[in-house]
Amino acid sequence: MMAAVNKPGFDKPVVGIIGTGAIGGFYGVMLARAGFDVHFLLRSEFSAVAERGLQVNSAVHGPLTLNPVQAYSAAEDMPKCDWLLVGAKTTSNAGLAPSIIQAAKSDAKVLVLQNGLDVEDGLRELLPDSLHLLGGLCLICVHREGPGQITHQALGAVNVGYHSGPAIDDVARMATVEEGSGLFRAAAIDSQAMPNLQQARWQKLVWNIPYNGLSVLLGASNTPPMADADSRLLLKSMMYIFASSANAFLIFV
């Protein structure tokens, strides 16, 4: 089943969102508002989003609403996409591969918007060699409030790097990465093309691990730890430790 809006003559890349949670929903709404032809794959929230659309309460961009939404409950109902943005949890990657293959054009670019090191490796084994696989690092504070309801607190940049696929050399890989970054920049989202995906992943983790761990431990958002001198010093110390680990790792790979 789907709720779709036809856009005849649309000449921008067709973008599919695989996993329309906080991350997929936010970036999908931003791309759609910028004029891209965006299609959203949903599971449990399909009915709510098809009926009421997607709402983003953004501290940066203000209240955003996308309604109607080109929403689908099955990948086989989606059009073939030039770009697929994967916003689901890494634990679901194996189950997502059939949906990605179903919704992808034969030479599509698959951009994984997930945390962690080497998250693309397992997915690569399940995808055709003809598909480009890229990693996206989302520097953003965003969470899901309810079905189709997203709160965006701060930031939003996406740094993009190439993982694997048919691009034959560094020039071709960087051209693909630049194309991906260009999608976000066209939607008023800061984005950098990263020549080294592993280095970019570590940069994200150096920021992510201290904040995520401390916010869970304290039951607070990122703001209170930054406002307190002692917790701010702890954050800096943790970042230094992780940065040292990253430097050691990158030297030996």
Side-chain angles (χ1 to χ4, degrees):
M1 296 177 61
M2 70 176 180
V5 178
N6 293 322
K7 297 184 178 181
F10 204 93
D11 58 359
K12 288 187 177 180
V14 179
V15 179
I17 307 296
I18 306 295
T20 308
I23 291 291
F26 172 76
Y27 290 115
V29 167
M30 292 296 289
L31 289 167
R33 287 173 57 86
F36 287 94
D37 188 13
V38 185
H39 302 263
F40 297 81
L41 180 64
L42 302 110
R43 295 290 189 242
S44 60
E45 297 187 7
F46 169 76
S47 296
V49 171
E51 180 180 348
R52 298 189 295 273
L54 286 165
Q55 289 82 40
V56 177
N57 181 19
S58 174
V60 178
H61 306 286
L64 308 174
T65 298
L66 183 64
N67 191 19
V69 174
Q70 298 188 120
Y72 304 79
S73 60
E76 54 264 31
D77 294 330
M78 297 175 68
K80 296 296 184 181
C81 298
D82 300 290
W83 281 86
L84 289 169
L85 276 54
V86 181
K89 299 294 185 183
T90 56
T91 51
S92 64
N93 278 358
L96 289 175
S99 295
I100 293 171
I101 295 169
Q102 183 69 49
K105 290 185 178 179
S106 60
D107 59 347
K109 291 89 172 178
V110 180
L111 177 58
V112 178
L113 303 177
Q114 296 173 332
N115 289 326
L117 289 173
D118 302 324
V119 295
E120 298 84 7
D121 290 356
L123 189 57
R124 173 76 273 174
E125 298 173 358
L126 304 173
L127 299 179
D129 294 340
S130 63
L131 297 183
H132 302 266
L133 184 60
L134 299 90
L137 298 100
C138 306
L139 305 173
I140 188 171
C141 296
V142 65
H143 65 273
R144 173 185 164 279
E145 291 282 359
Q149 298 178 344
I150 299 163
T151 295
H152 172 220
Q153 298 162 283
L155 306 174
V158 182
N159 295 336
V160 181
Y162 198 89
H163 179 270
S164 57
I168 59 175
D169 54 30
D170 289 343
V171 173
R173 286 189 282 272
M174 281 306 296
T176 302
V177 172
E178 288 285 2
E179 182 184 343
S181 291
L183 295 181
F184 293 104
R185 290 194 294 267
I189 296 167
D190 184 33
S191 182
Q192 295 184 41
M194 308 295 289
N196 186 321
L197 181 57
Q198 280 283 20
Q199 181 178 357
R201 283 262 178 240
W202 271 105
Q203 289 174 351
K204 172 66 183 293
L205 287 173
V206 167
W207 182 85
N208 217 35
I209 293 175
Y211 276 105
N212 284 2
L214 208 57
S215 64
V216 171
L217 183 65
L218 298 177
S221 68
N222 293 336
T223 303
M226 283 299 295
D228 180 81
D230 291 332
S231 61
R232 189 165 63 248
L233 178 61
L234 177 60
L235 284 167
K236 289 182 178 180
S237 300
M238 293 172 70
M239 286 183 174
Y240 177 80
I241 293 171
F242 291 123
S244 300
S245 300
N247 287 331
F249 176 84
L250 292 168
I251 287 172
F252 290 106
V253 296

